[in-house]
Amino acid sequence: MRDFCAMSATTPPRAEIGVPHRPLRRGADNALLGGVCGGLAIRLGVSERAVRVVTCVVALLWGVGLLAYFALWLTLPRTGEDRSIAGRLLGGRNRLRRVAVAVAAGALVLLVLHPFSEALLGPLSWAFLLAALALIVVWRGATAEERQRLEELGRHTPFLRSRAESTRTWALVRIFVGLVLVLLGVRLAALVSRRVDGGAPAAIFGTAFVLAGVVVLLAPWWLSLVHDLSDERRSRVRVEERAKLAAHLHDSVLQTLTLIERSADDPGQVTRLARTQERELRQWLFGPVATSRVATLAGALDALVGEIEGDYGVRVELVVVGEATLSEALTDLVAAGREAAINAARWSGAERVSVYAEVEPDKASLFVRDRGRGFDPATVPEDRHGLAVSIRERLAARGGTATVRSAPGEGTEVALEVALA
Amino acid sequence: MRPRVFLVDDHGLILAGLRAELADHVEIVGAADEVAAAAEMILERRPDVVLLDVHMPGGGGEAVLREVLVDAPDVRFLALSVSDAAEDVIAVVRAGARGYVTKSISAPELLEAILRVADGDAVFSPRLAGFVLDAFASEGHLGEAEVDPELNQLTPRERQVLRLIARGYAYRDVATELAISIKTVESHVSSVLRKLQLSSRYELTHWAVERRLT
């Protein structure tokens, strides 16, 4: 039923409607199932949807519409074909014998099913049964083109076959089990409605059977639908990621490479550019995902390292243990660290400067160390004293200290500390 | 005696560069650029030290570690990577690497690290030391099935050593600073490595993953 009722919501490309005096044919390009409704709509000059709705309603009257539909399916030629399915099956040389066999087979089926008609089969069930037989006949007689269309339809129909099922046999077994459950459930419910003494248990069982049947019928389809959706989502995400990556590489790496090419005769500039780019790319690839704009100690130090690596062409190795949002005390600490790191980059002659920061509950410390030429703190010229003093006083105001340890040839380490409230 | 070194990296340029830098000082017994071949050749040639790239298709350095260490627990691994991400560092060390250095390391330092690993010691870069301090920072919060609580705490001395390493001190500088022998420094670092590998602190993994998300 679903096939030619519910599915009418998705209207296929419209055929010419309202052009009268055409021979009655089944529609080819406006067909949902067999094209009967589409063909009628064209012949009668009314909308397809109207014909479909009427057909569905009539189908509910003891299955009359259903039987009519299949009768027309079998006897009307498809648009563009000159013979109907019945004609194709019954035509040919042994026409008489074939008709005889078909009638005999039909009679046999009716005879076998007759005893069940009272107990199990209502008029609607009969209609369904005959429709199912008709469908088999349709399949036998359909042209390759129509078969292909039906197969396509079957692939998209909920309970016929899903990607999750590898073999047709399994699909058939599942459909059979599902249908049996549904039928049993319907029978139980019908029994209850006829004789009240069956009581609640039968009704509950009936409902349970129907539900179980529906689940068995529809589960694989639902699963594959879900699967398709997540597949689709995944590939979309992948495409977006790729676009983001390409945009980023273009803005950063490609630009820098161009700059490097242009300054090929200035080794210092090349080194600086390469360092800065490396840092930036590393941060992007491996760094923490920047979710908040809150300034933190690690963030401030990171920016500081970038600045010094860019300006002085030294490598700064930064290690941060613990983390805190940037308070005034920590801002002073970073500013002092900046002076120390710039001094190291400028005067030590070392290729690498180590910066280590640690946040503890009551204090934060920052160490800037190089393994460069070092100096004797006792012989620092007057004009460079000022710097150390200003740093020291600034930190002292925050309850902190600044200590410089250095010796010629040993490198320098500046230890800075502030108290945290 | 020159240590026998095996190189694993999926970038041909890096392999060539490492060969050029190391060939005069160590015996390079082979190189591989993918996980399966690397595991097979390492098991066959039994080098003293494997220089292992962390990021490779097919499971990366971690996969090589897992495959080799089951059959040859005596092969020592030094992880070498461009990544400074905590989860990568912690993952390879937990998988059995005896050290972790980044590819920006200078040639003499790399050689020193190789010799140290060949001797059975651990190699902690400042970055790795910082990670360990961070991961072991919080007191309490121990794993549930506590077999050996010792494994989940650093001793004050180990903390001191790690702090100095994080500050950029070489092992011998650490020894001078703390007035202990280099051997003692090495044994502290090895002990930290053991804790890092065997600790049931659930924070280690969680911390490493969360570090990227905060």
Side-chain angles (χ1 to χ4, degrees), chain A residues 282 289 352 358 405 413, chain B residues 82 109 163 167 169 177:
Chain A
R282 185 187 296 282
V289 183
R352 182 157 35 163
E358 182 169 1
R405 282 174 44 182
E413 184 172 52
Chain B
V82 291
E109 283 176 316
R163 272 207 182 95
R167 274 158 67 177
Y169 282 58
E177 177 76 19

Side-chain angles (χ1 to χ4, degrees), chain A residues 187-225:
Chain A
R187 285 321 294 173
L188 276 174
L191 275 180
V192 172
S193 71
R194 218 172 290 163
R195 284 180 268 136
V196 193
D197 59 312
I204 292 170
F205 274 125
T207 316
F209 272 121
V210 172
L211 283 179
V214 170
V215 166
V216 169
L217 282 174
L218 294 184
W221 164 75
W222 187 76
L223 283 177
S224 76
L225 198 70

